[in-house]
Amino acid sequence: MSSFLYTVNSFFILDNKGERVIAKYYSNDFENVTKQKAFEQKVFDKTSKVHFGGEITLLDNYIIVYKAFSNIVIYMIGDSDQNEVALLYVLNSFIDTLQNLFENQINKRTILDGINYTLLTLDEIIDGGIVLESDTSVIVDRVGIKLPDNDEDELGKVISSAKEQFINFLK
Amino acid sequence: MVVKKDDDESELVFENLEKGQVIQEKRAFNETPVHPRKCSLVISQFLYLLSRGDTFTTTEATEIFFAATKLFQSKDIPLRRLMWLLLKEFSLLSQDAIIVISSLTKDMTNPMSLYRANAIRILCKITDSFILPQIDRYFKQSIVEKDPHVASSALVSSIHLLKVSPEIVKRWVNEVQEAVNNKSNMVQYHAIALLHRIKQHDRLAVTKAVSTLIKGSIRSPYSQAYLIRCAVEVIEETNTEDPVFYDYINSCLRSKNEMVAYEAARSICALKNSSKKEITSAVSVLQNFLGSSKSTLKFAAVRTLNKLAQTNPAAVIPCNVDMESLITDSNRSIATLAITTLLKIGNESNVERLIKQIANFLDDINDEFKIVVVEAVTLLSQKFPKKYKHLILFLNKILRDEGTLQLKQSTLDAILTVVNNIPESKEIALTELCDFIEDCEFPDLSVQILHLLGQEGPLTSQPSQYIRYIYNRVLLDSGIIRAAAVNSIAKFGLLYEPMKEKVIILLGRCLLDEDDEVRDRATLYLQLLKQNNTRELTRLLVDDVPVPLVNLQKSLEHYINDGDFGQAFDLGSVSTVIESMPSPILEGKSSKQTSQSGGVTPKSLSTESNDGAPESYSTKLAQIPEFSTFGKLLKSSEIVELTENETEYVVNCVKHIFKEHIVFQFNCTNTLNYQRLENVSVKMIPSNPKSVKYECSIPIEILNFDEIQSCFVAIRYHPDNLPLCNFKNTLKFRTKEIDPSTGEPDDQGYDDQYSIEELEVSVKDFIQRTFVTNWKEEFAKLPEQEPATFALVSVKNLNDAVKQMISTLGMAPAEKSETVVPKSNKHQLFLSGKSLSTGALILARARMILDQSGLNTDVELTVKSDDQNLIDLILSSF
């Protein structure tokens, strides 16, 4: 049995024509982009046949869990003997985080316009195929961390004003 | 938060992004002061290009990487976060990425955990065995940090580093041990995983660590799921009797977390020694999942139960009802798994009901899925031959419903399989098929069915009932079907004497057909029938082509491709060697597995032989210099399994017979993922050493996990003294443990051997199946021989007796004599073959009769040939 640790084999988002929007491969199963895209096309064909209504399927030696949105489909791929429930959890973490960051609007435009958030979310959830974090609120925090613009002084000000308030509170 | 209005342009900006243009924009990184917003956009664009699949040259990547390092001066957090990601992604593409170490170590001292967490993840990417010792304190201190972001990042990075510098990472074991106690669930999980991997080579240490951990209070779901996998590993590798491991897995069954409960359940189902009670609890967890609203849970459960049904169908029976309701699940993968599981656990008493139930929802499912059902039903026919009537009717319903040619072809194939395997099903199948061709829209299928009717119809109890349907085709259908119908009618005339006159009349009516082919066929057959030329008719209508069709096809394709038509095609040039032909039904299933292994070296003679070229054995053997002097390959045997399928090393053998040599090809599979085998060979000890001379042995150099490769042993023999004997076989090899963290084998290794089953070389290995056009005539021509009589003990029916005779003698049945008339108690079997060494024809006639007790079959065997020596050898094999 393959290791539980390397939960995710690959990840991709395809548009409603089956074209890649973004992808990330954590294994060397597909040696080049052409082969990756051929695989993506196969996955798309199989899932589009059932109008993306399935949530999960098997293809070749992979488990595929997926979720479709208005004009994109998000796929999470694991080895065929992987724990599919674990794989679903990862997909859900990713989707929930994006829902949160994009205010429940997941589609091709929000994914691309917020590409920095999309890719950072992925980076915070999966590291080399290993699940790094699963708690959505933690992930949102690590991705969307938003402090006053480009100035450490501002941060300092915030902290010192907080300190002041705290001291005032104590008084 | 990002809030964007509908703005078509912004989408276009990203979709039509050009790499060259973005590379130009990296100059923004050099501006002072840094413009965070502008730089963030450029980084996002680079990251997007990368994840879209654009490739960067090393020069481009290096330039981008170095430009981005300028941004270390910025304190803008969102920009920093993107910069880190860019550095991480481009570090592998860029040269000299190591240059950023000092900036990163500075980040490691930043009070904000975000800095430290991200910096350590990049450090992991750019470091190597030389650098790591200088910065390993950063890892050690981060692993024990309380902050989960930093600790997890450090631990996961260390797991990756274990592949690069295992020795150094192993020194951090105390820190990792401490991290197991971190309050964060994820940190605990990553620490357990790293700890387990550090100790992986030391089974004792793993066993100890795992047993300590599972006794502790590990509550995080990921840790639990991981520990279940560890416990399974310990049980499988040490065969421990300690109940603590089973108990732990069992206790996880009750977890509220579905991932954990499922991991426990599937592990129990997969373990060989799970108790009945444990399996029952696991199945009941899965049963709950079957009723879940989540597709993934249903899928997980039914997939596991499907697997369990293979080894332990009884355990799955409690889920019958739940699974039946999944037959109509909107997720086709789930429905398919449910059906195939149900069919696996079906028994004689409920299979009828099951078939009916599936028939009810046939209208709702697509053709592709119906094919899966058809295949499953075909398998069922082998399991429950008595239910043939229901199965044939079911298949026929699919055949008649709307559907694609592909579906109908699969269904027709399935019916043919059933008819071939269960002779009793013939009449009902033929009747149904007669009805079907009345309005069949696919000429291909009609032609095949007409062929079948002609072949089988005359041998049934009432041949006359079919002729009307066949003649209807002549009246109503297109040319190609009419031609097939004419053939079919002619066969009735040949094979069923009472109908000959009728057939002559019917053929007479076809003489004025507008289609040349139909007319020609009718004229020819009519003429031959009138002349009573049975021999020629048999040759034309009944006899098989004297070579395997696959081989004929290949040879013809070669002939056409060569484009040299100066010489006519010579049928004699077609190879008669039949290569391994796995059952078509099983093949579909196993091909999945073989595609996974993939690692077959080009040199090896793979048993999969996907290319299927009939000459492939001979061409491949000819490439091996040691065998080049052996001459022409005369025959290759079927594959003989020498081990069980699930042993550590799976070995099977193909015997290649040459004029004075035999090459034994041992196909070996290494199924142990922690071992690499080197110098693999088979030692063979003959029971009769005088008749063989050892020639040479060619070992497999390296056999990795999941690979199939072949080693060879060649022996020499004298054609006058065939080496009919048994060989005791031992697999010998040097085994090396694989370090899972690096994938590299250890240096030493040790020699080992493994007993495999005996292999017999018998007279049939020296006989080639041949096809003679008129067996009876040839048989009469050969000098008379005394028959031998003997009994096939405990062979209780003639079909089995026929199969046994054919397989023992390795000869081809002639005159359709392999088909036993149902319910008769005696039978004559005609066989033909050819001596490999002398080319002499061998014909055998076996008269078989069930003895009075009905428990054994008495056989009178007459073997005729010009090669007296061979006759004696054949008779002595009984």
Side-chain angles (χ1 to χ4, degrees):
Chain A
M1 217 181 244
S2 66
S3 169
F4 177 81
L5 186 62
Y6 295 94
T7 310
V8 184
N9 180 293
S10 50
F11 159 92
F12 41 84
I13 301 181
L14 306 180
D15 68 12
N16 50 8
K17 293 180 206 79
E19 294 287 329
R20 174 194 283 194
V21 180
I22 54 167
K24 178 94 183 138
Y25 283 74
Y26 302 102
S27 75
N28 297 322
D29 290 5
F30 304 93
E31 61 216 59
N32 56 41
V33 177
T34 319
K35 291 197 174 160
Q36 291 175 354
K37 289 196 170 168
F39 174 65
E40 288 157 26
Q41 190 60 49
K42 247 170 112 179
V43 171
F44 182 81
D45 289 346
K46 171 138 195 186
T47 48
S48 64
K49 222 179 261 174
V50 294
H51 311 292
F52 311 106
E55 181 178 293
I56 182 163
T57 190
L58 270 174
L59 180 71
D60 297 339
N61 274 300
Y62 301 99
I63 290 193
I64 294 139
V65 295
Y66 58 99
K67 187 163 171 65
F69 296 87
S70 61
N71 53 6
I72 51 156
V73 192
I74 303 180
Y75 295 93
M76 204 63 81
I77 315 294
D79 291 344
S80 67
D81 55 2
Q82 191 48 266
N83 183 320
E84 49 268 59
V85 186
L87 201 59
L88 179 71
Y89 282 10
V90 182
L91 178 68
N92 287 344
S93 295
F94 182 75
I95 290 169
D96 291 348
T97 308
L98 289 196
Q99 300 270 25
N100 196 320
L101 290 168
F102 298 154
E103 303 192 328
N104 296 325
Q105 293 279 317
I106 295 186
N107 53 49
K108 191 170 176 181
R109 180 163 306 128
T110 55
I111 292 277
L112 284 179
D113 284 352
I115 189 76
N116 48 341
Y117 290 92
T118 310
L119 294 173
L120 287 174
T121 301
L122 191 64
D123 185 55
E124 291 293 358
I125 295 178
I126 309 163
D127 185 322
I130 301 175
V131 180
L132 187 63
E133 181 52 63
S134 59
D135 185 330
T136 307
S137 60
V138 175
I139 301 163
V140 169
D141 221 34
R142 288 178 187 171
V143 171
I145 193 152
K146 187 79 180 165
L147 292 165
D149 268 358
N150 68 4
D151 198 343
E152 203 182 22
D153 292 345
E154 292 243 21
L155 176 66
K157 272 180 217 158
V158 173
I159 294 173
S160 56
S161 90
K163 240 185 218 165
E164 265 172 39
Q165 281 176 15
F166 185 65
I167 293 165
N168 286 336
F169 175 75
L170 287 178
K171 282 175 186 168
Chain B
M1 301 300 129
V2 185
V3 189
K4 285 275 172 176
K5 289 174 224 109
D6 272 1
D7 178 2
D8 280 342
E9 227 170 293
S10 70
E11 184 169 318
L12 285 173
V13 165
F14 258 103
E15 279 216 293
N16 302 329
L17 217 50
E18 290 279 342
K19 187 175 80 175
Q21 165 206 341
V22 185
I23 289 180
Q24 289 302 310
E25 283 177 28
K26 74 172 186 296
R27 60 175 175 260
F29 299 163
N30 284 322
E31 290 170 15
T32 26
V34 175
H35 296 290
R37 210 162 277 261
K38 197 167 163 193
C39 292
S40 292
L41 182 66
V42 178
I43 295 181
S44 297
Q45 289 174 340
F46 276 127
L47 291 172
Y48 169 69
L49 290 177
L50 208 57
S51 59
R52 182 174 79 176
D54 286 26
T55 46
F56 292 86
T57 64
T58 311
T59 322
E60 286 167 349
T62 310
E63 278 175 25
I64 295 165
F65 186 87
F66 279 84
T69 56
K70 300 274 186 346
L71 302 175
F72 270 106
Q73 56 176 305
S74 167
K75 303 214 163 46
D76 181 85
I77 303 276
L79 174 61
R80 274 300 207 112
R81 185 65 192 82
L82 280 169
M83 176 205 75
W84 284 317
L85 184 55
L86 181 88
L87 293 181
K88 191 147 69 82
E89 298 290 344
F90 277 83
S91 61
L92 297 174
L93 309 169
S94 159
Q95 284 175 329
D96 303 322
I98 225 145
I99 213 95
V100 294
I101 281 202
S102 64
S103 304
L104 290 171
T105 50
K106 193 169 162 239
D107 280 351
M108 286 305 297
T109 59
N110 193 296
M112 289 180 70
S113 62
L114 190 77
Y115 276 71
R116 302 197 300 281
N118 281 293
I120 200 125
R121 287 175 73 187
I122 307 171
L123 278 176
C124 151
K125 293 269 180 191
I126 60 175
T127 190
D128 57 31
S129 304
F130 300 104
I131 308 286
L132 191 54
Q134 300 163 37
I135 54 168
D136 84 329
R137 67 195 163 93
Y138 294 110
F139 282 90
K140 285 207 271 194
Q141 83 193 26
S142 303
I143 287 172
V144 295
E145 270 211 40
K146 275 210 185 73
D147 184 280
H149 196 187
V150 180
S152 272
S153 298
L155 286 162
V156 172
S157 297
S158 307
I159 293 173
H160 298 318
L161 283 177
L162 206 52
K163 289 181 188 150
V164 184
S165 325
E167 291 316 313
I168 300 168
V169 178
K170 280 175 187 171
R171 282 186 227 137
W172 308 339
V173 65
N174 289 332
E175 283 78 9
V176 180
Q177 187 78 53
E178 193 182 327
V180 173
N181 300 319
N182 191 300
K183 286 203 182 84
S184 153
N185 280 347
M186 291 318 280
V187 175
Q188 188 185 55
Y189 163 51
H190 297 136
I192 288 175
L194 179 54
L195 195 63
H196 171 241
R197 276 159 188 267
I198 286 177
K199 303 195 171 186
Q200 205 156 34
H201 300 287
D202 184 348
R203 274 186 204 173
L204 214 64
V206 170
T207 310
K208 212 175 127 210
V210 173
S211 97
T212 315
L213 284 167
I214 60 185
K215 281 176 201 153
S217 52
I218 301 288
R219 289 276 166 267
S220 115
Y222 281 95
S223 307
Q224 286 179 330
Y226 190 86
L227 280 176
I228 293 171
R229 206 65 80 89
C230 294
V232 170
E233 185 191 283
V234 170
I235 292 171
E236 277 177 347
E237 286 187 359
T238 65
N239 292 318
T240 171
E241 302 274 316
D242 192 343
V244 70
F245 300 103
Y246 274 104
D247 289 349
Y248 180 71
I249 302 176
N250 253 321
S251 70
C252 288
L253 277 180
R254 295 187 293 275
S255 168
K256 288 205 178 68
N257 184 292
E258 291 147 347
M259 174 178 76
V260 176
Y262 170 56
E263 188 64 39
R266 72 203 287 244
S267 299
I268 290 173
C269 293
L271 278 169
K272 278 188 202 125
N273 294 325
S274 295
S275 71
K276 212 174 160 189
K277 200 176 141 221
E278 284 159 347
I279 293 202
T280 312
S281 354
V283 168
S284 87
V285 168
L286 296 172
Q287 190 173 7
N288 267 333
F289 284 3
L290 291 177
S292 161
S293 58
K294 288 186 199 157
S295 292
T296 301
L297 283 189
K298 286 189 276 189
F299 177 90
V302 75
R303 182 160 84 116
T304 311
L305 291 169
N306 186 299
K307 222 183 231 169
L308 182 63
Q310 259 163 14
T311 52
N312 188 352
V316 184
I317 288 173
C319 304
N320 239 330
V321 178
D322 309 79
M323 233 149 8
E324 280 175 19
S325 61
L326 291 183
I327 291 180
T328 47
D329 197 282
S330 61
N331 183 316
R332 286 287 153 242
S333 306
I334 295 176
T336 313
L337 284 165
I339 289 188
T340 47
T341 314
L342 282 168
L343 293 176
K344 271 179 203 160
I345 60 178
N347 52 40
E348 198 96 44
S349 63
N350 72 7
V351 63
E352 252 179 79
R353 192 173 57 85
L354 198 60
I355 291 287
K356 267 197 197 123
Q357 196 174 358
I358 299 172
N360 283 339
F361 77 90
L362 272 181
D363 293 341
D364 307 333
I365 62 177
N366 64 21
D367 283 3
E368 199 185 345
F369 187 38
K370 279 182 189 159
I371 292 177
V372 175
V373 174
V374 165
E375 281 167 3
V377 168
T378 317
L379 280 177
L380 211 59
S381 75
Q382 295 170 358
K383 219 161 126 195
F384 307 115
K386 283 186 191 150
K387 299 290 176 191
Y388 68 85
K389 194 170 163 198
H390 299 279
L391 301 178
I392 290 279
L393 291 176
F394 175 78
L395 290 172
N396 196 61
K397 179 173 159 46
I398 297 184
L399 199 58
R400 296 235 194 142
D401 287 348
E402 290 283 303
T404 58
L405 176 60
Q406 201 196 358
L407 167 66
K408 303 220 162 177
Q409 183 67 62
S410 309
T411 315
L412 183 58
D413 290 346
I415 294 178
L416 292 178
T417 311
V418 175
V419 168
N420 278 333
N421 290 337
I422 314 170
E424 299 92 312
S425 69
K426 201 179 289 170
E427 303 215 357
I428 178 170
L430 292 187
T431 313
E432 293 290 333
L433 290 174
C434 279
D435 266 350
F436 173 65
I437 51 169
E438 291 283 279
D439 44 25
C440 168
E441 55 191 310
F442 299 107
D444 265 11
L445 298 182
S446 295
V447 169
Q448 291 173 54
I449 292 171
L450 284 167
H451 175 77
L452 178 77
L453 287 174
Q455 180 185 310
E456 302 291 347
L459 307 173
T460 56
S461 56
Q462 275 184 296
S464 58
Q465 60 177 318
Y466 305 111
I467 205 83
R468 178 170 61 88
Y469 292 98
I470 301 172
Y471 190 66
N472 273 347
R473 296 303 102 217
V474 177
L475 298 177
L476 298 167
D477 262 315
S478 62
I480 178 168
I481 299 179
R482 292 204 301 277
V486 165
N487 263 33
S488 191
I489 292 171
K491 279 184 204 167
F492 277 82
L494 171 68
L495 298 171
Y496 187 61
E497 187 65 27
M499 277 180 67
K500 192 171 159 191
E501 287 311 311
K502 223 175 181 180
V503 165
I504 290 179
I505 297 170
L506 290 177
L507 288 179
R509 290 191 195 155
C510 302
L511 292 178
L512 294 174
D513 197 285
E514 61 191 36
D515 188 290
D516 292 352
E517 179 71 23
V518 178
R519 235 169 26 238
D520 288 356
R521 287 190 191 190
T523 313
L524 176 64
Y525 298 142
L526 190 62
Q527 221 35 49
L528 292 171
L529 274 174
K530 280 183 178 162
Q531 293 165 3
N532 243 336
N533 190 342
T534 329
R535 182 174 174 178
E536 195 58 23
L537 274 172
T538 310
R539 199 176 67 77
L540 288 171
L541 288 170
V542 181
D543 283 343
D544 287 316
V545 187
V547 289
L549 282 180
V550 220
N551 298 9
L552 179 60
Q553 186 186 346
K554 286 264 171 195
S555 301
L556 282 171
E557 279 166 7
H558 268 291
Y559 180 73
I560 290 171
N561 289 338
D562 286 351
D564 175 16
F565 304 120
Q567 239 174 357
F569 180 75
D570 177 14
L571 197 60
S573 70
V574 181
S575 161
T576 52
V577 177
I578 302 173
E579 286 204 13
S580 65
M581 289 193 294
S583 143
I585 295 159
L586 295 172
E587 197 175 37
K589 299 279 172 276
S590 66
S591 63
K592 257 190 168 176
Q593 283 191 332
T594 47
S595 68
Q596 180 186 26
S597 61
V600 184
T601 57
K603 179 179 136 191
S604 78
L605 308 183
S606 101
T607 49
E608 299 151 38
S609 87
N610 287 334
D611 47 352
E615 302 89 346
S616 59
Y617 273 141
S618 60
T619 38
K620 282 175 181 168
L621 286 172
Q623 286 162 8
I624 300 172
E626 283 86 342
F627 305 151
S628 56
T629 55
F630 292 0
K632 190 177 169 217
L633 173 63
L634 300 174
K635 181 182 173 181
S636 298
S637 76
E638 290 166 349
I639 292 175
V640 187
E641 297 294 339
L642 297 177
T643 57
E644 302 282 326
N645 249 335
E646 287 175 3
T647 46
E648 294 98 314
Y649 314 108
V650 177
V651 184
N652 60 44
C653 180
V654 179
K655 296 172 266 186
H656 300 290
I657 314 290
F658 293 84
K659 190 154 193 279
E660 294 181 353
H661 296 88
I662 302 177
V663 172
F664 299 93
Q665 174 188 339
F666 295 95
N667 304 311
C668 309
T669 316
N670 171 13
T671 65
L672 297 177
N673 59 0
Y674 53 83
Q675 275 193 2
R676 173 166 131 176
L677 307 184
E678 296 186 0
N679 203 17
V680 184
S681 62
V682 173
K683 181 168 186 192
M684 304 179 75
I685 303 175
S687 60
N688 178 5
K690 281 183 192 157
S691 63
V692 298
K693 275 209 175 97
Y694 170 78
E695 183 84 21
C696 66
S697 168
I698 301 177
I700 301 167
E701 281 171 31
I702 293 171
L703 184 62
N704 286 316
F705 165 59
D706 216 9
E707 255 181 24
I708 303 175
Q709 287 200 55
S710 312
C711 62
F712 301 90
V713 175
I715 60 166
R716 201 168 62 196
Y717 69 95
H718 197 279
D720 291 343
N721 181 17
L722 299 180
L724 306 181
C725 64
N726 285 350
F727 290 86
K728 279 207 174 98
N729 307 307
T730 315
L731 190 67
K732 304 193 118 188
F733 46 85
R734 169 165 280 266
T735 167
K736 290 187 174 176
E737 301 273 321
I738 295 280
D739 182 338
S741 52
T742 61
E744 290 301 314
D746 62 6
D747 298 334
Q748 290 288 312
Y750 53 91
D751 288 326
D752 203 352
Q753 55 182 35
Y754 186 81
S755 273
I756 52 180
E757 280 172 34
E758 285 194 5
L759 186 69
E760 188 189 13
V761 172
S762 62
V763 67
K764 79 164 175 185
D765 289 318
F766 301 93
I767 296 175
Q768 175 74 59
R769 297 157 57 97
T770 45
F771 299 85
V772 288
T773 42
N774 197 331
W775 191 92
K776 284 178 183 159
E777 216 168 89
E778 299 284 344
F779 191 74
K781 268 196 264 170
L782 286 165
E784 283 302 318
Q785 292 286 343
E786 277 298 303
T789 53
F790 51 88
L792 298 173
V793 179
S794 59
V795 175
K796 291 176 210 162
N797 77 56
L798 291 170
N799 268 320
D800 291 350
V802 166
K803 278 183 202 148
Q804 189 171 336
M805 291 303 294
I806 293 175
S807 88
T808 313
L809 293 172
M811 291 157 73
E815 312 262 305
K816 298 270 156 211
S817 64
E818 74 272 28
T819 325
V820 179
V821 181
K823 291 187 187 118
S824 80
N825 67 343
K826 56 182 182 185
H827 184 71
Q828 282 205 57
L829 174 67
F830 308 124
L831 297 167
S832 57
K834 202 165 74 177
S835 157
L836 278 189
S837 49
T838 63
L841 189 67
I842 314 155
L843 299 177
R845 182 185 64 200
R847 292 178 160 143
M848 293 174 278
I849 184 162
L850 284 176
D851 78 356
Q852 307 220 315
S853 66
L855 296 175
N856 309 315
T857 306
D858 287 331
V859 182
E860 183 209 84
L861 180 67
T862 313
V863 183
K864 288 187 172 184
S865 173
D866 289 328
D867 185 339
Q868 183 64 40
N869 185 19
L870 202 61
I871 296 177
D872 297 342
L873 287 175
I874 292 172
L875 291 177
S876 68
S877 61
F878 285 96

